[in-house]
Amino acid sequence: MPGKVEAAPGPDDLTPRQIVVELDRHIVGQAAAKRAVAIALRNRLRRQKLPPAQAEEILPKNILMIGPTGVGKTEIARRLAKLTGSPFLKVEASKFTEVGYVGRDVDSMVRDLVEVAISLVRQERRAQVAGPAAVSARRRLLDLLLPPRPRPGRSSADPTQAAREAEDEASWRRSRETLERRLDGGELEDRMVELTVPAASGAAFKMFTPAGMEEVDLNLKEMMPGLFSDRTRIRKLSVKEARDVLTREEEEKLLDPDQLARDAIERTESSGILFIDEFDKIAGGDRGAGPDVSREGVQRDLLPLVEGTLVNTKHGLVRTDHILFIAAGAFHVSKPSDLMPEMQGRFPIRVELTALSREDMVRILEEPESSLLKQYQALLGTEGVTLDFTRDGIDALAASAEQVNRLTENIGARRLHTILERVLEPVSFDGAETPGRRLVVDAAYVLSRLAGLTTDGDLSRFVL
């Protein structure tokens, strides 16, 4: 008798060890960083189980990741958010400037995170109402294919007229039943129907507000509702296309926009993750005039968000007290101690990610569920081309990536993308014209495609 299959743990049941195991499926190495984010996530789950008064006093342990580019900092945070269904947003610290300068206001990152949460919650709610929405869309589709009969008025006293009306009703029902069978059997997918859809909304303009000089969309229809009437237009669509349009419309009808916004704000406040990249770019060095002043200004503007404040969004006020902030940077020139003391104290967990070795490159090519080698094999497999990567071929790819990183700029695992594109360029170009082809990517083939490029630093800068 087969053993009982245990259900996979939900987001609220994941232990730190299980979180690390899940991250290992997609990211090679960086055990310290994985442990740090796993503990931070588990502490968030622990806090949610406490009494509200006590939970309010426990703030998230923000994380500062230190390491070169291309070693997995962003991917760890992104996978963590996906694993737990948390709203996740990556921003670059260098895109923000001190209030009073031209640039984005730091509060905009919270507003953008709320929009991510809105999309996330809407997607979940649509999945919940998919069944009823599909039933309603099917009924509307049948009405397009065979319009409903007009409701009969007062019954006719003439027996002949009444019999004719009954016969017409029965004929309509038979036609409807036939259409239902053909529709459900997929026989009408290419038939064209005319569907009334809303016309494009009023023109949207963009302006810069005095508070932070942030871009804001202005919809004239919302500003002056009396000026724009609800306009519609008729589109000719196939049954297959019309079904998708009608299903989306029915799903939207079943969603409560106000409740959606409330749930999104609650999700943002309780489980949102803000990943701030290039954090070292706002770490000032010696005090003085010039760029360092602006960098410290960004830190001063960012500090209230990290400490906990209220941010006004178009969906309502959002508290940032329990949003998890993960900052990352290479810190080649500056160092974490160059940050303001108050900012340093708000990132108590610090992890250093190591540069990738040749062995790490080999593992990145082979181990993750969506590794680069599997991606290329799947892409070219759609055209009947078989790619076989030998052991010495994989080693040559990893060694070439490591060598180019050493000779030029070290961009970590991203170098593997450029190396593979160069190596597989001929078969990618000719793949559609050579179905059934089998290419063995061994060390000799790799070295022939990269001849001279990996040893010439100047040439590598332009080609690889």
Side-chain angles (χ1 to χ4, degrees):
M1 184 175 178
K4 183 180 179 181
V5 179
E6 295 185 2
D12 294 340
D13 301 322
L14 288 169
T15 66
R17 193 178 305 278
Q18 290 171 328
I19 293 170
V20 171
V21 169
E22 289 295 322
L23 293 175
D24 284 339
R25 293 171 54 197
H26 306 281
I27 304 157
V28 169
Q30 312 302 353
K34 292 175 182 175
R35 287 174 65 91
V37 298
I39 292 171
L41 177 63
R42 187 63 182 181
N43 282 337
R44 169 177 282 182
L45 300 177
R46 290 165 178 156
R47 185 188 68 82
Q48 293 173 355
K49 297 178 181 179
L50 295 174
Q54 189 176 8
E56 189 67 23
E57 299 298 323
I58 299 176
L59 300 179
K61 303 299 187 293
N62 299 318
I63 303 168
L64 178 61
M65 293 185 180
I66 305 167
T69 184
V71 297
K73 299 189 294 292
T74 305
E75 192 63 17
I76 287 174
R78 181 180 288 115
R79 290 288 178 182
L80 182 73
K82 188 173 183 180
L83 181 64
T84 58
S86 302
F88 172 84
L89 179 70
K90 176 189 174 182
V91 297
E92 295 178 358
S94 57
K95 297 293 178 65
F96 297 90
T97 60
E98 184 178 4
V99 171
Y101 292 80
V102 177
R104 296 202 72 190
D105 174 17
V106 293
D107 287 356
S108 66
M109 66 176 70
V110 177
R111 288 190 279 270
D112 292 342
L113 183 63
V114 173
E115 294 301 326
V116 173
I118 289 282
S119 299
L120 191 64
V121 175
R122 176 179 280 112
Q123 185 177 356
E124 293 175 358
R125 297 294 184 272
R126 277 183 169 175
Q128 294 172 1
V129 301
V135 172
S136 298
R138 177 179 178 272
R139 184 178 62 253
R140 289 179 61 187
L141 199 53
L142 284 168
D143 290 343
L144 290 174
L145 292 167
L146 181 64
R149 281 175 49 81
R151 289 184 177 275
R154 186 176 300 175
S155 299
S156 174
D158 185 356
T160 305
Q161 180 66 23
R164 187 179 301 112
E165 290 179 355
E167 183 179 349
D168 290 344
E169 177 69 19
S171 175
W172 181 88
R173 290 188 179 280
R174 287 193 298 270
S175 299
R176 180 86 167 193
E177 291 171 358
T178 301
L179 270 178
E180 287 182 2
R181 288 194 299 270
R182 296 185 64 190
L183 181 65
D184 295 339
E187 300 177 24
L188 306 177
E189 295 296 281
D190 296 327
R191 178 177 292 190
M192 303 302 292
V193 294
E194 290 188 348
L195 184 62
T196 301
V197 298
S201 61
F205 296 91
K206 293 198 174 182
M207 64 174 289
F208 289 93
T209 65
M213 306 297 286
E214 183 186 359
E215 287 187 320
V216 177
D217 287 336
L218 295 178
N219 194 311
L220 291 181
K221 186 176 180 180
E222 295 177 358
M223 293 176 61
M224 296 174 285
L227 186 61
F228 296 92
S229 59
D230 290 333
R231 294 176 299 175
T232 58
R233 63 191 181 96
I234 296 177
R235 290 182 60 190
K236 286 189 175 182
L237 301 171
S238 66
V239 166
K240 182 178 180 180
E241 294 170 332
R243 182 186 293 110
D244 293 337
V245 173
L246 292 173
T247 302
R248 286 197 299 270
E249 288 183 2
E250 293 300 319
E251 287 173 349
E252 287 297 328
K253 289 179 183 178
L254 295 173
L255 300 181
D256 181 354
D258 294 333
Q259 185 62 45
L260 198 71
R262 288 193 293 269
D263 292 344
I265 289 177
E266 192 278 330
R267 182 82 65 92
T268 301
E269 293 178 337
S270 63
S271 63
I273 298 176
L274 268 172
F275 183 86
I276 308 176
D277 203 4
E278 297 184 355
F279 205 64
D280 53 327
K281 300 295 193 302
I282 62 170
D286 297 332
R287 303 293 184 265
D292 286 341
V293 176
S294 180
R295 286 196 287 264
E296 268 203 22
V298 177
Q299 291 186 59
R300 284 195 300 269
D301 294 342
L302 184 59
L303 190 59
L305 294 184
V306 183
E307 290 179 334
T309 188
L310 285 173
V311 176
N312 190 19
T313 74
K314 68 180 182 179
H315 303 289
L317 292 174
V318 177
R319 292 184 59 190
T320 66
D321 300 63
H322 298 289
I323 292 176
L324 178 63
F325 288 83
I326 302 178
F331 287 96
H332 289 315
V333 178
S334 59
K335 50 189 181 296
S337 59
D338 290 330
L339 294 166
M340 295 169 54
E342 299 88 347
M343 186 65 76
Q344 294 180 46
R346 289 298 171 177
F347 289 87
I349 302 177
R350 298 185 185 179
V351 290
E352 187 170 352
L353 287 82
T354 58
L356 299 176
S357 63
R358 182 181 305 187
E359 291 73 21
D360 291 331
M361 295 282 194
V362 171
R363 293 180 61 197
I364 289 171
L365 286 171
E366 291 184 310
E367 292 183 11
E369 291 188 356
S370 57
S371 69
L372 286 176
L373 300 189
K374 296 173 185 175
Q375 291 178 27
Y376 278 98
Q377 287 172 327
L379 286 172
L380 291 171
T382 61
E383 295 176 342
V385 178
T386 302
L387 283 181
D388 286 337
F389 293 92
T390 65
R391 169 52 50 192
D392 62 343
I394 295 173
D395 290 339
L397 289 169
S400 300
E402 182 196 37
Q403 186 173 3
V404 176
N405 276 343
R406 189 173 61 251
L407 289 174
T408 59
E409 184 79 15
N410 186 355
I411 60 173
R414 294 186 179 95
R415 187 71 67 186
L416 292 171
H417 290 269
T418 59
I419 293 288
L420 275 167
E421 279 296 321
R422 180 73 181 184
V423 169
L424 300 177
E425 180 186 12
V427 68
S428 295
F429 185 83
D430 298 329
E433 302 170 1
T434 56
R437 178 181 176 183
R438 180 173 180 267
L439 175 64
V440 178
V441 182
D442 54 14
Y445 181 80
V446 171
L447 295 177
S448 68
R449 290 291 306 153
L450 302 177
L453 295 178
T454 56
T455 56
D456 188 333
D458 292 333
L459 192 57
S460 295
R461 284 186 175 88
F462 292 97
V463 181
L464 299 177

